[in-house]
Amino acid sequence: MQSVVEQGTRNRPASGGPNFALALGGGGARGLAHIHVIEVLDELGIRPTVVAGSSIGALMGAGLAAGMSGKDIHAHARAILGSRAEVASRLWRARPGNFSEMVEGGFRFGQFNAERIIRAFLPAAVPETFEQLPIPLRVTATDYFGHKLAVLDSGPLGQALAASAAIPAVFRPVERNGRMLIDGGIYNPVPFDLIEGQADILIAIDVVGAPADTGGKAPTSIELMFGASQLMMQSIIAMKLLQKHPDILIRPPVSRFRVLDFLKIDAILAETAGIREELKRAIDAAVERFEAV
């Protein structure tokens, strides 16, 4: 028996049935779970009409918006993150080009150049500008001195992705159009509100997670800092959900992973594989509701 999605989406007339918008949240390495989501959408023949993303969600969203399949994104991520040597090689290529660049802004511990890092890891299929994307993409960043959310949807794409992923204490801020931008998850961890009303069915994926119990072991200062950020972001999401709610909200079980656990790609994907069936069921139910109206 065909699922509702197969009946209502894959085989529907071009003018009928629902279309979809997709919001991919921030969460560092935990956002590797987004790969499952994109692969499921491919299986169901669903191509979002618009995508919004924060931090790692913006990176995954850029691949999707560029026309990459979930299989392609998965293969690219695994080819790099499955090999410590490949990660080290790309980080080496992202090093400062000369001494003056290295000391630009002063020596700063733990503040890597986000733009160089992002360029070193982005798939070749991701274009230079937003305007070259087949699917519209909205990327969040935080305007540090402007004290507000910055929504980026035009101009240089790599720079915008770097700004969205610029986690404080890991990456230095990104300057764009006179603004100092940092991690988009600080203001909008799951940016479903940016694309609300732009499709019939809105899917949001929350990979923020929460601090995991360390079994009585006191967390380190770094763990406390990242854990506090998780709590802050979950508070923001909870407040947003009181006002608006996506048609589908999926929360993969990612809390036991840390924000920089990218080399644990196999474990993260294995731990979160259950969301594939969860998402399929949720889409079936959402399409049923749409068709019942």
Side-chain angles (χ1 to χ4, degrees):
M1 180 181 294
Q2 287 184 309
S3 72
V4 171
V5 170
E6 289 173 322
Q7 295 169 356
T9 303
R10 189 175 298 173
N11 299 322
R12 73 176 187 265
S15 59
N19 53 28
F20 294 79
L22 178 65
L24 300 175
R30 295 183 288 266
L32 292 170
H34 291 320
I35 291 172
H36 290 307
V37 173
I38 298 170
E39 289 184 326
V40 165
L41 295 182
D42 287 347
E43 288 177 27
L44 300 178
I46 295 171
R47 208 66 180 164
T49 58
V50 62
V51 179
S54 288
S55 196
I56 184 69
L59 297 174
M60 293 287 181
L64 172 59
M68 294 180 70
S69 68
K71 182 179 179 181
D72 291 338
I73 294 171
H74 190 162
H76 178 79
R78 191 178 292 279
I80 296 172
L81 301 176
S83 167
R84 288 181 181 272
E86 181 63 23
V87 170
S89 173
R90 289 177 183 252
L91 288 174
W92 175 252
R93 278 181 266 163
R95 71 192 187 281
N98 52 52
F99 183 77
S100 62
E101 183 179 344
M102 181 174 68
V103 300
E104 179 184 3
F107 286 102
R108 299 178 181 180
F109 174 75
Q111 288 205 336
F112 298 100
N113 185 311
E115 293 184 65
R116 279 185 169 272
I117 298 288
I118 293 301
R119 280 199 297 269
F121 285 86
L122 271 182
V126 175
E128 293 292 320
T129 67
F130 281 92
E131 288 76 11
Q132 294 170 281
L133 293 170
I135 297 174
L137 174 68
R138 292 180 176 82
V139 170
T140 69
T142 297
D143 185 340
Y144 186 75
F145 289 119
H147 314 155
K148 61 184 179 181
L149 176 71
V151 180
L152 312 176
D153 58 7
S154 64
L157 177 56
Q159 184 189 55
L161 298 175
S164 189
I167 302 170
V170 177
F171 296 112
R172 68 180 62 170
V174 172
E175 290 192 23
R176 181 181 171 100
N177 298 329
R179 295 183 293 177
M180 180 173 287
L181 304 178
I182 60 173
D183 184 8
I186 292 174
Y187 251 89
N188 199 337
V190 188
F192 60 85
D193 52 312
L194 300 185
I195 51 177
E196 186 182 31
Q198 296 184 29
D200 300 312
I201 295 173
L202 173 55
I203 302 172
I205 313 297
D206 173 9
V207 292
V208 170
D213 190 347
T214 55
K217 181 182 176 183
T220 66
S221 296
I222 294 296
E223 289 169 341
L224 283 169
M225 180 184 70
F226 285 129
S229 295
Q230 286 177 283
L231 295 176
M232 176 196 71
M233 289 189 281
Q234 286 295 1
S235 176
I236 292 170
I237 295 168
M239 290 297 293
K240 285 175 55 180
L241 290 173
L242 290 176
Q243 302 171 359
K244 307 173 182 179
H245 206 287
D247 300 289
I248 298 171
L249 176 61
I250 303 292
R251 286 176 156 146
V254 293
S255 290
R256 78 178 183 89
F257 299 102
R258 295 174 296 183
V259 70
L260 298 178
D261 276 346
F262 287 100
L263 291 173
K264 295 183 178 180
I265 180 172
D266 290 334
I268 293 170
L269 290 176
E271 185 90 0
T272 57
I275 69 167
R276 300 175 74 96
E277 290 304 317
E278 180 185 356
L279 178 58
K280 290 176 183 178
R281 291 192 298 269
I283 290 174
D284 278 345
V287 172
E288 282 186 337
R289 291 193 299 270
F290 172 83
E291 293 181 340
V293 174

